[in-house]
Amino acid sequence: MTTTTSDRVVETTFGPVRGADDGRVSSWKGVRYAAPPVRGLRFRAPQPPERWTEVADATRYGPACPQPVFPNMPLDLGAPQGEDCLRLNVWASSTTQPGDRKPVMVWLHGGAYVLGSGSQALYDGRRLAGDGEVIVVTVNYRVGALGFMDLSSFTTSRRRFDSNVGLRDVLAALSWVRDNIAAFGGDPRNVTLFGESAGAGIVTTLLASPSAEGLFARAIAQSSPATSVYDRSRAERVAETVLDRLDVDADRLPDVPTAVLLAASQEVFDEVPVRNPGLLAFVPIIDGELLDDYPVKRVQEGRSLPVPLIIGTNKHEAALFRLMRSRLMPITPHAITSMFDQIAAEQPDLQLPTDEEIGSAYSRVRRRARSLSIATDVGFRMPSVWLAEGHSAVAPVYLYRFDYSTPLLKVLLVRAAHATELPYVWGNLGAPKDPTLKLGGRKTAKAVSKRMRTRWVNFAARSTPAGPDGEPDWTPYREGDRACLIIDKQDTVAHDVDAKILAAWGSQMVGFR
């Protein structure tokens, strides 16, 4: 395994790759970690790629997983789309050498399990890796129907389908990191898995999966939809609906043109949350293999992997979905009422909050904003608090809430909405397509970003999320005081900030979807 500063060639277990160096940061992009999941490997667990002997170019991103275009959620994926998408990207400081054993941070992008890629400009790892403290890896995994449509019940003697192939992609990428990251100067025993939204949902799901044991030493979950994990019967109904739209038998699915599959799955994706507010079409499932129960339930029973965890949400998560006029979250009184009615019908033994408990929990919230607050708590905050409560019994947990917003986001009434913390974690504020600083606030935003990056990197390196000198000590979450870091213009550590919503939602909502 050799690395040279001039051409940055690294020998991996599958073959040599040549990266690039800009004098501060070395990068290797589009590195293959699994075989192309095409034809007979579509809807199958990832397989090792064929070994290569010629040096492979790793200076450009590999294909992003094929995905539909949502006009109200435009994304620049940073690369063309293609099913040969099981690639990852590595960043390390230019001075890093094999044997340095630096901490590694492996990133899982968000996107409601149907969108996104590791090549999005927002996730460029130069800033996070540039100080030389950590090595950064971003991962492409299969999304939408290609990654999270469960066809395992359609397996026959002629055709096999695997469950949770998107999760299996991430496990394969983590296995690649374990086997190869030392050649890039990283420590395979010191890996932090971190992600946001659906990426954080994968993090919290893998926390509850024995298959992930030993593949990461720490975890960070930013705005995890941790309860969006369904049983096999619900997943099978979604798959049947897609097959009906395509008018094909499951046996023929590997041969359906990508564009045709995407069109049919997008229709189903759009329809599911309209018929069933609060539900997504394509999510991880309880398959009895990777996952034998709901992650929140496993965590609350003390059956999660005992790794230190940072977990938290943004104060106004649901505001993004209102701005984008998205139906992915139930953000109107009618949608929320419909969601509760359906849950009560499906799970009659589940104790839902009473009107009085809801009124008490949100008494300080303006009536017009109450639905957004409930949606934020149902979708993100309460699942994160439930996970903090349970996981703190097996490992240290650090709970946060991101409250900061720039002047422009305040004017737009978005404030600290879903995903607004991302440029602060990555240090990529003010990117060409980031308009959030147009009304000012750059100096404060840069200070917030420095504090977040410092805490995230220190956690990855030493399991303790210490901030810069002079910043408050972020203490672990314990039942006695329920410490929570509030990230705003200044960092503060508050206690029991979720007392009112905990009183309303309680801890009995383990089966809540």
Side-chain angles (χ1 to χ4, degrees), residues 74-75 81 223 229 313 339 466-467 475 486 497:
L75 281 185
Q81 297 183 30
S223 305
V229 176
T313 63
M339 177 181 68
T475 51
I486 306 296
V497 295

Side-chain angles (χ1 to χ4, degrees), residues 29-30 60-65 67-68 73-81 87-89 91 107-126 136-141 143 196-199 324 419 422-423 426 428 431-433:
K29 298 176 179 178
R60 292 180 295 178
Y61 290 117
C65 180
Q67 53 198 264
M73 289 186 287
L75 281 185
D76 182 355
L77 298 173
Q81 297 183 30
R87 316 291 188 99
L88 50 75
N89 315 295
W91 286 266
W107 174 255
L108 304 178
H109 66 81
Y113 296 107
V114 297
L115 298 171
S117 75
S119 53
Q120 291 172 240
L122 184 58
Y123 310 136
D124 185 298
R126 293 181 70 260
V136 175
V137 179
T138 65
V139 175
N140 281 1
Y141 55 91
V143 296
E196 184 267 346
S197 194
M324 293 186 157
L422 288 172
W426 286 90
N428 293 329
K433 294 186 179 181

Side-chain angles (χ1 to χ4, degrees), residues 164-178:
N164 282 322
V165 295
L167 294 183
R168 296 178 193 272
D169 291 344
V170 173
L171 291 173
L174 287 169
S175 296
W176 184 96
V177 169
R178 177 196 61 203

Side-chain angles (χ1 to χ4, degrees), residues 137-154:
V137 179
T138 65
V139 175
N140 281 1
Y141 55 91
R142 281 172 283 181
V143 296
L146 291 167
F148 293 95
M149 181 168 66
D150 182 52
L151 296 163
S152 56
S153 61
F154 297 93

Side-chain angles (χ1 to χ4, degrees), residues 266-290:
Q266 182 173 7
E267 289 179 6
V268 175
F269 177 81
D270 289 339
E271 291 169 5
V272 166
V274 175
R275 291 197 312 267
N276 304 105
L279 289 185
L280 297 175
F282 307 110
V283 297
I285 67 156
I286 300 169
D287 60 0
E289 297 178 36
L290 293 186

Side-chain angles (χ1 to χ4, degrees), residues 420-454:
T420 56
E421 90 286 3
L422 288 172
Y424 298 86
V425 169
W426 286 90
N428 293 329
L429 288 160
K433 294 186 179 181
D434 175 14
T436 59
L437 296 174
K438 284 192 173 180
L439 294 184
R442 181 177 296 274
K443 182 178 179 180
T444 302
K446 290 178 70 173
V448 172
S449 178
K450 180 181 178 181
R451 296 198 307 271
M452 287 194 78
R453 295 199 318 275
T454 300

Side-chain angles (χ1 to χ4, degrees), residues 104 126 144 175 184 217 242 247 250 286 292 301 346 371 411 419 451:
V104 183
R126 293 181 70 260
S175 296
F184 296 82
V242 174
D247 194 24
I286 300 169
D292 65 5
E301 292 174 351
E346 293 172 0
S371 295
V411 168
R451 296 198 307 271

